[in-house]
Amino acid sequence: MLQPILAYGHPLLREKGKPVSLDKEELDTFIDQMWQTMRRANGCGLAASQVGKNLCLFIVDSRSTYQQMENAARQALYENGDTGIEEVFINAEMISRSGDVWVEEEGCLSIPSLSQPVARPWSIEIRYLDKELVQRQKVFSGNTARMIQHEYDHTQGILYIDHLNPVARKLLMSRLKKIRAGKVQAGYPMCFFR
Ligand SMILES: [Zn+2]
């Protein structure tokens, strides 16, 4: 079943996700719904809070983006040997972030028709449970690490616009107000907080 995506302004997007304690069957169904919802919205990542569940859970697909890219972009945005991931991150904990920061445009399914350049560390190390509930600890870099950081932020109640400088954020105020008020066409079902 497809879920509507919570729009900017919904208080749930500002809450920290609770540790996941669903049974495996419930979890599998929910994760399946998240993949379907993300794909229908043409997204490359989705966090549980965006579909109304206050859980520390998100999915990332950096593989589709990789496959759609020209070679030059692949070389610039992906580390050698990385062809992207399609992965579920449950109860993730960020272990470390590298010091080298790079800037790239980001958007968010909860903030439709808007994108902004965001500075993020090039690589991260993260510990999480995968979809089989097996504990993993991995290093990711480039575009994959950017997507993971964006989604991990959602589990902390943080949105990418929080990383912008005050001037850039001020310039977005009227557009954010419109989204909050539901005056936006997303191309996929959204849930506005009233
Ligand atoms: Zn987002």
Side-chain angles (χ1 to χ4, degrees):
M1 207 172 66
L2 293 160
Q3 305 286 326
I5 293 175
L6 269 50
Y8 174 78
H10 199 294
L12 200 82
L13 294 174
R14 290 310 196 174
E15 281 179 29
K16 265 193 163 189
K18 296 193 172 82
V20 174
S21 58
L22 303 173
D23 69 54
K24 184 73 170 63
E25 204 175 317
E26 252 183 306
L27 189 61
D28 285 346
T29 307
F30 179 61
I31 290 169
D32 195 50
Q33 287 175 1
M34 282 181 69
W35 283 117
Q36 288 181 44
T37 301
M38 186 199 81
R39 295 222 159 95
R40 163 152 136 179
N42 274 321
C44 53
L46 188 70
S49 62
Q50 291 179 281
V51 286
K53 280 240 197 296
N54 184 16
L55 292 174
C56 192
L57 165 63
F58 60 87
I59 57 175
V60 167
D61 174 11
S62 61
R63 187 168 296 156
S64 304
T65 315
Y66 177 88
Q67 285 166 350
Q68 289 156 17
M69 271 179 184
E70 302 284 331
N71 257 337
R74 285 176 176 171
Q75 277 165 16
L77 302 182
Y78 287 79
E79 201 86 71
N80 233 349
D82 175 18
T83 57
I85 59 163
E86 260 184 294
E87 195 137 342
V88 180
F89 294 79
I90 299 165
N91 298 342
E93 281 173 82
M94 199 64 80
I95 306 294
S96 64
R97 297 171 167 93
S98 66
D100 45 344
V101 164
W102 64 300
V103 177
E104 178 74 5
E105 288 276 322
E106 277 183 38
C108 178
L109 294 177
S110 292
I111 313 174
S113 64
L114 202 72
S115 68
Q116 287 288 306
V118 180
R120 298 213 187 250
W122 175 256
S123 67
I124 52 141
E125 183 167 14
I126 191 167
R127 189 186 301 139
Y128 61 100
L129 303 177
D130 67 12
K131 66 180 191 326
E132 300 306 329
L133 303 177
V134 174
Q135 185 163 305
R136 310 265 174 200
Q137 185 162 337
K138 288 190 196 172
V139 174
F140 295 96
S141 44
N143 216 30
T144 301
R146 174 173 294 277
M147 291 178 188
I148 293 169
Q149 290 176 81
H150 177 115
E151 300 308 329
Y152 175 82
D153 274 358
H154 275 298
T155 71
Q156 305 299 301
I158 297 168
L159 301 173
Y160 81 86
I161 50 172
D162 301 342
H163 295 290
L164 306 178
N165 68 54
V167 176
R169 276 175 71 176
K170 220 169 180 179
L171 288 171
L172 296 179
M173 285 294 259
S174 67
R175 291 171 78 182
L176 290 172
K177 262 190 193 157
K178 273 190 185 161
I179 297 171
R180 189 193 281 266
K183 293 177 189 153
V184 68
Q185 286 293 327
Y188 45 86
M190 296 206 78
C191 170
F192 297 95
F193 185 70
R194 307 226 194 266

